[in-house]
Amino acid sequence: FACSMHWFDQMAAELTAEHRVIRVDLLGHGCTSAATNLDAEAQARAISAVLEQLGTNGATAVGHSFGADVVLAMARRTDQVARVVIIGQAPDYDCSRLPSIAFLPGLPALATFTHRLTPPWLARISRRVGFAPEHHDDGSDDPHRIALDRAAMNPRMYRTILADRRARLAALPLDVQIRYLGLPVLAILGGRDRLYPSALTAARYRAAGARVVVID
């Protein structure tokens, strides 16, 4: 949410030594911000089309945060995916540490309205929510990446994430989706995750049959 493929520049550079790496901006983000259908199913269809265009099957689909919803939706609808990796995402919002204000009914509309008015410095401050104090880094070489990506994002994403996604995950949490997926799933979690307690998240994924790795 509010990021781009550039967050994975450093990781991709290391992975390409032994793997073919395909990265895409989710719809509504980065280079595809003009898209209008932004939910996980629409995202899955778009990425599936990319793999089809590239003639790729047997992929390991890796999704971080909202990307976890997307790769699971993709694995359900196509045989292009052989295994799934989820990074830093709980099954639903029940165990999140997000402040209650994030779920106020009027917040998505307010955030959408004020999106273009938010100064870059405020976007950079938001990294303190997502990263531990000693790691206030946006994962790329560009110190302005957070502000740039947020400015490029389609404002419709606020409703997609803060309202629609919450309802979808409440009805069908990610661990329930994993239980019936029938594919190998790896969940990579951070021991000091500031949004989702790793112990509870790990327990739910393990109970669903996923392999879980917690990075201290």
Side-chain angles (χ1 to χ4, degrees):
F1 172 52
C3 306
S4 73
M5 69 174 76
H6 294 296
W7 282 54
F8 293 91
D9 284 349
Q10 297 174 19
M11 188 182 301
E14 296 192 25
L15 288 172
T16 51
E18 299 182 10
H19 304 276
R20 181 189 187 191
V21 179
I22 301 168
R23 289 182 291 164
V24 298
D25 278 329
L26 291 183
L27 302 176
H29 296 77
C31 294
T32 57
S33 60
T36 54
N37 295 322
L38 305 174
D39 61 37
E41 295 294 337
Q43 304 277 4
R45 290 192 296 272
I47 298 178
S48 180
V50 171
L51 293 189
E52 183 175 353
Q53 180 72 23
L54 296 174
T56 298
N57 284 295
T60 298
V62 183
H64 167 244
S65 190
F66 174 53
D69 308 35
V70 176
V71 294
L72 285 172
M74 188 177 172
R76 287 196 308 271
R77 71 179 304 275
T78 175
D79 58 4
Q80 298 165 316
V81 175
R83 59 199 71 82
V84 171
V85 179
I86 291 172
I87 302 176
Q89 177 59 53
D92 52 35
Y93 286 137
D94 281 352
C95 53
S96 79
R97 293 190 176 115
L98 289 169
S100 56
I101 189 175
F103 302 117
L104 291 177
L107 184 63
L110 178 62
T112 300
F113 179 74
T114 61
H115 178 73
R116 302 301 182 193
L117 306 176
T118 304
W121 61 265
L122 185 59
R124 288 194 289 270
I125 287 177
S126 69
R127 76 180 62 187
R128 299 183 181 276
V129 175
F131 297 96
E134 65 271 32
H135 296 292
H136 285 162
D137 181 14
D138 58 12
S140 75
D141 293 324
D142 188 343
H144 305 293
R145 173 53 53 196
I146 284 182
L148 291 170
D149 286 347
R150 186 186 176 283
M153 183 187 72
N154 187 324
R156 294 170 182 257
M157 282 304 305
Y158 291 110
R159 176 161 299 283
T160 299
I161 295 296
L162 298 177
D164 300 344
R165 185 192 191 213
R166 185 189 185 196
R168 284 174 177 266
L169 292 183
L172 190 62
L174 299 185
D175 54 341
V176 175
Q177 296 181 37
I178 289 171
R179 185 174 293 116
Y180 297 106
L181 184 62
L183 293 177
V185 177
L186 167 66
I188 301 176
L189 310 174
R192 289 180 289 167
D193 192 308
R194 296 167 69 84
L195 297 181
Y196 305 103
S198 60
L200 179 56
T201 301
R204 288 184 58 178
Y205 281 139
R206 288 192 182 106
R211 178 190 173 202
V212 178
V213 174
V214 179
I215 300 174
D216 292 337

